[in-house]
Amino acid sequence: MPFIPGLGWTFDTVAATYEKLRPGYVDALYQDVFTYCPLDASSHAVEVGIGGGQATQPVLETGCAVTAVEPGANFCALCREKFRNYPAFATIHGKFEETALPESSCDLVYSASAFHWVPEETGYQKVYSILKSGGAFARFANHPHPDKGRPELTEEIDGLYRAYYDNYHKRSIGKPVPYTEDAARQRAEIALKYGFTDIRWALFHRTRTFTAAEYIQLLGTYSDHIAIDEPIRRRFFAAVEAAIHRHGG
């Protein structure tokens, strides 16, 4: 979904739905991270923007201590409860760029679908400063793409976005395009500007299937959708749900 600066606060208003509907990440991603940066009970990781904790469990299961820096109070409370059985888990309520963290204290800093909310220069420099020598930064995200098997449904939903989303935001969302290897490389190589070396990137693919009602709930967790005035958003979502039902549910 498009990134509109200034809307980061919106996610915390739908914390429970976000935790339920937003996806986690494939096992192969964690295997790559942990092969590159082995973790155990002596390790310390910082997660930038934990959200609903979609990326947290596999890191905790290594025995590693995890400190999550999260600007949403509701997300902090949700994740403290969610991971209450992990004594090495802690949350800090605040923005990463404004939070004091000890230099050279982390084996791993990671951020899942959240680092684009942190100002680039400030964020990368802070990550670099808190990592130990030889530590690693893992930045990853989900990049959704519409169902490729039902072009008629995609075309109808695109029309609804033009009618509702584009008119409201006064900008075109455009046609969704697949996230490419080149896009992944370019994003990974941002870190080169801030002293990082040995840059790597990878793409992982999967399919998620939703009922029409679940898909509408999912749309309601995206910041640019939450920001649409409620009466317009309700009509928009109802039209998308009806379109999905017309094309098989």
Side-chain angles (χ1 to χ4, degrees):
M1 294 294 173
F3 167 61
I4 301 179
L7 295 183
W9 62 271
T10 59
F11 300 113
D12 200 51
T13 67
V14 292
T17 305
Y18 188 107
E19 191 274 337
K20 177 184 175 184
L21 271 300
R22 284 295 189 101
Y25 301 86
V26 297
D27 291 342
L29 183 153
Y30 293 103
Q31 291 168 9
D32 279 4
V33 172
F34 299 153
T35 297
Y36 185 83
C37 181
L39 301 173
D40 57 28
S42 68
S43 307
H44 180 215
V46 166
E47 180 170 2
V48 181
I50 191 172
Q54 279 80 2
T56 312
Q57 186 91 27
V59 182
L60 287 170
E61 288 178 350
T62 67
C64 175
V66 174
T67 300
V69 183
E70 167 57 50
N74 291 326
F75 277 135
C76 284
L78 184 154
C79 288
R80 281 195 296 270
E81 174 62 20
K82 183 175 182 176
F83 301 117
R84 65 187 182 280
N85 293 327
Y86 292 90
F89 173 74
T91 62
I92 297 175
H93 178 212
K95 293 183 177 181
F96 175 69
E97 61 270 29
E98 298 173 358
T99 299
L101 296 164
E103 293 189 5
S104 304
S105 61
C106 302
D107 301 279
L108 173 70
V109 178
Y110 67 102
S111 187
S113 298
F115 206 68
H116 56 289
W117 294 105
V118 181
E120 180 188 304
E121 183 174 358
T122 304
Y124 277 95
Q125 289 180 349
K126 192 179 191 86
V127 170
Y128 192 89
S129 73
I130 66 175
L131 281 172
K132 298 175 182 177
S133 178
F137 176 39
R139 176 182 180 178
F140 46 97
N142 283 296
H143 297 278
H145 187 270
D147 183 350
K148 297 177 182 179
R150 292 187 288 180
E152 298 86 359
L153 173 59
T154 298
E155 185 61 34
E156 187 168 347
I157 290 178
D158 285 348
L160 293 172
Y161 268 85
R162 289 190 295 271
Y164 289 96
Y165 181 102
D166 293 3
N167 280 339
Y168 182 83
H169 284 298
K170 307 304 180 187
R171 54 179 282 177
S172 174
I173 195 172
K175 284 189 173 293
V177 296
Y179 196 71
T180 64
E181 184 84 18
D182 190 54
R185 176 189 60 78
Q186 290 181 38
R187 179 161 291 181
E189 289 181 347
I190 293 171
L192 290 170
K193 297 190 290 183
Y194 302 100
F196 290 86
T197 59
D198 195 18
I199 307 297
R200 305 183 185 191
W201 61 91
L203 295 182
F204 305 91
H205 300 276
R206 61 157 169 214
T207 299
R208 300 183 75 210
T209 302
F210 301 91
T211 65
E214 287 170 340
Y215 188 69
I216 296 309
Q217 284 186 290
L218 175 67
L219 290 183
T221 69
Y222 288 103
S223 60
D224 51 344
H225 292 59
I226 299 169
I228 297 173
D229 285 346
E230 197 273 336
I232 299 171
R233 185 173 70 246
R234 192 186 323 117
R235 293 195 297 272
F236 175 30
F237 284 6
V240 172
E241 185 171 7
I244 294 171
H245 282 302
R246 280 195 296 275
H247 292 273

